[in-house]
Amino acid sequence: MTRFEGKNVFVTGAGQGIGYGVCRAFALEGAFVALNDYDAHLAESAAGQLNQELGAQRVTAFPGDVSDANVVAALINTCADQRGGLDIVLANAGITRYMPFLEATPEVFDRIINVNLRGTYFTVQAAAKRMIAAGKPGRILLTSSIVGQVAFPNFSIYSLTKAAIQMLAKSLALELGSYGITVNAITPGATLTERVIREDPDYERNWAEVTVTGRVGYVEDVVAAALFLASPEARQINGHNLVVDGGWSLRSPLPDDHPTLPDQQDYA
Ligand code: NAD
């Protein structure tokens, strides 16, 4: 399929994991992709690897730290200048840090807020300005997380950034809709990436056990959501939050012995 033939796509935090998967999928469907990552070496090698797989130069590395609003604006503007515009942007860069609330420090707080929130906010601002100036419709996607809507222990800083991103999608959908730009959030649940396997070698099995579908999320599940929201079919979807968690967040805790419930099943 070549649904995105000739489209110009910019993805942040894409040297590995979900962002890399999204870049790959857009490029396979004919898009030109700007692949951003904080780690310049990773960005260059990821872009090179994708171009080799494609047998074409459709992915370009745009290394830089999205927490610096000037850096991210320069990257977006360079990309839009080189490609003659920008059609689709995924503000995906995000960092995670487990830290009990009582041990949190201002330094850690600022770094997570700056990458996840400031980075997302000013990536979208720079992109929206270029889309509006070009007078063409655009698609903006933001990566949230399921812990932005259900609480998870020792994740307070990360979770509040991801909750804020869901509200940001709604606010920006309202402000940018009249320019033909839609803004939607994607909310992954536990998703198997190189990073999470480093953190927990049994991640796949552990999350399969507690997920309603009986399996962990894979990068391709989040990729499918991103491509759908960027596709022509999704043109009237604006300010939505698409949860991709296999139903993990749906369950209410039940008492072990509940007389009004017939034959309680063990839902995953
Ligand atoms: P990852 O850590 O595998 O990849 C993220 C990439 O972002 C890394 O290559 C990193 O170098 C880059 N990055 C970090 N800080 C950056 C910065 N300041 N500027 C530019 N790039 C930067 O992460 P992932 O698991 O693929 O997650 C991607 C997004 O999805 C994140 O926003 C994350 O919060 C979110 N998410 C992931 C999961 C999951 O289970 N994997 C679940 C929910 C949400």
Side-chain angles (χ1 to χ4, degrees), residues 13-19 36-39 42 64-67 92-96 111 115 143-146 158 162 188-191 193 195-196 203:
Q16 60 185 356
I18 292 169
N36 160 264
D37 204 282
Y38 175 74
D39 179 335
L42 190 62
D65 183 346
V66 298
S67 72
N92 170 75
I95 53 171
T96 305
R111 185 62 188 155
V115 175
T143 308
S144 178
S145 165
I146 201 63
Y158 176 74
K162 294 299 183 175
T191 306
T193 62
R195 174 179 59 80
V196 301
Y203 191 92

